[in-house]
Amino acid sequence: CTAADGTKTVYVQYRDALWNGTKDANDSIILDTINPTCSISGNPSSWQNTNATLTLSMSDTNVNWNGYKWDNGSYSSTKTTTVSANGNHTWYVKDLAWNEGSCSANVTKIDKSAPSVSFNKNSGTAAKSHSVTVTVSDTADWLAASQSIKYRWQTSSTCSTTAWDYTSIALSPATAWSASATATVTTAWLSDWDYYLCILGSTVSDQATNKNAAAKTTWVFTVDNTAPTVTLTTNAVACQKWWTTYTIT
């Protein structure tokens, strides 16, 4: 038969030593030397916080399929798979002639991590007012635009979970996707006491709609607007010529 791929007919005749021959026998085969081709659909094009389902599609002009293998697995009849994290994956396909082809998908748009919240650390000393920069970060898919955090100063180390107890303040920058955004809050108008700074959860989201967890400073901010008082005590008498001793407390 010719070398080109396709259906081929093979003829066979047998003869003995005296050249007595059989009738011709024939059968058809399919010659296939071409590797199958494939493609993968379902690779997310926008950010998501859920698994991705990838589906294999393939074509082969000569034969049906014999098996599919995902990455380093075994050949099977499965043509779909679930991907839970970003990464580069390869699907191998094999036809009935055992020609093997492959196709790959680089998954890059899965993000299941919430934005993180951090604070600039207080020096630990008392002050009339404290100014604290709150930073919300997400280096995977960046933060959504035009968002606000909700904060609350409270004397208890256990943060309130009631949303209306909190005050909203806009993050900056606000007009574009960014890896981090900040807001500055102060203790202005608070009475003298030790305070924790609390951030309400589920107020800031990234492009995959993951939302921040609640956060709290592990140290206190001491507010002190009270002037010290001075008390003088003396052992002096009405008239005397010597020095008088005063005690200041």
Side-chain angles (χ1 to χ4, degrees):
C1 61
T2 60
D5 283 7
T7 301
K8 309 297 179 180
T9 301
V10 179
Y11 298 89
V12 177
Q13 186 183 70
Y14 295 96
R15 292 181 183 274
D16 59 18
L18 299 176
W19 282 84
N20 299 307
T22 64
K23 292 182 178 181
D24 290 344
N26 66 80
D27 198 0
S28 295
I29 64 168
I30 297 176
L31 178 64
D32 180 13
T33 61
I34 300 174
N35 291 335
T37 60
C38 61
S39 62
I40 299 173
S41 60
N43 191 357
S45 58
S46 58
W47 287 100
Q48 64 184 52
N49 58 12
T50 57
N51 297 339
T53 299
L54 304 184
T55 302
L56 177 68
S57 299
M58 54 280 173
S59 62
D60 192 297
T61 58
N62 292 324
V63 295
N64 294 321
W65 295 89
N66 191 42
Y68 323 101
K69 182 175 71 171
W70 178 250
D71 286 342
N72 295 320
S74 301
Y75 276 98
S76 71
S77 60
T78 302
K79 293 185 286 185
T80 61
T81 191
T82 299
V83 176
S84 60
N86 293 329
N88 194 26
H89 303 278
T90 300
W91 228 319
Y92 299 91
V93 294
K94 187 176 289 186
D95 61 24
L96 289 176
W98 290 90
N99 300 304
E100 186 179 68
S102 65
C103 48
S104 297
N106 187 19
V107 179
T108 60
K109 294 292 186 178
I110 296 177
D111 176 26
K112 299 180 180 181
S113 299
S116 62
V117 178
S118 61
F119 310 91
N120 67 320
K121 187 171 178 59
N122 183 36
S123 64
T125 58
K128 290 185 176 181
S129 179
H130 295 274
S131 177
V132 183
T133 299
V134 182
T135 301
V136 184
S137 304
D138 194 302
T139 57
D141 57 331
W142 292 11
L143 302 172
S146 302
Q147 298 192 88
S148 300
I149 60 169
K150 290 188 175 183
Y151 72 95
R152 170 181 168 84
W153 294 103
Q154 64 179 56
T155 57
S156 170
S157 60
T158 302
C159 293
S160 169
T161 58
T162 305
W164 55 75
D165 287 342
Y166 287 75
T167 302
S168 182
I169 185 171
L171 290 168
S172 178
T175 56
W177 298 102
S178 57
S180 64
T182 61
T184 300
V185 298
T186 69
T187 59
W189 314 113
L190 292 178
S191 57
D192 292 3
W193 207 263
D194 291 339
Y195 294 92
Y196 293 90
L197 176 58
C198 298
I199 302 298
L200 187 66
S202 299
T203 57
V204 181
S205 64
D206 57 22
Q207 294 187 69
T209 69
N210 300 300
K211 294 184 179 295
N212 69 292
K216 176 183 69 68
T217 57
T218 56
W219 58 90
V220 296
F221 298 84
T222 301
V223 176
D224 183 6
N225 286 286
T226 303
T229 59
V230 177
T231 302
L232 299 179
T233 57
T234 179
N235 60 353
V237 294
C239 293
Q240 59 185 33
K241 296 188 295 182
W242 55 84
W243 292 100
T244 300
T245 301
Y246 293 91
T247 301
I248 301 176
T249 59

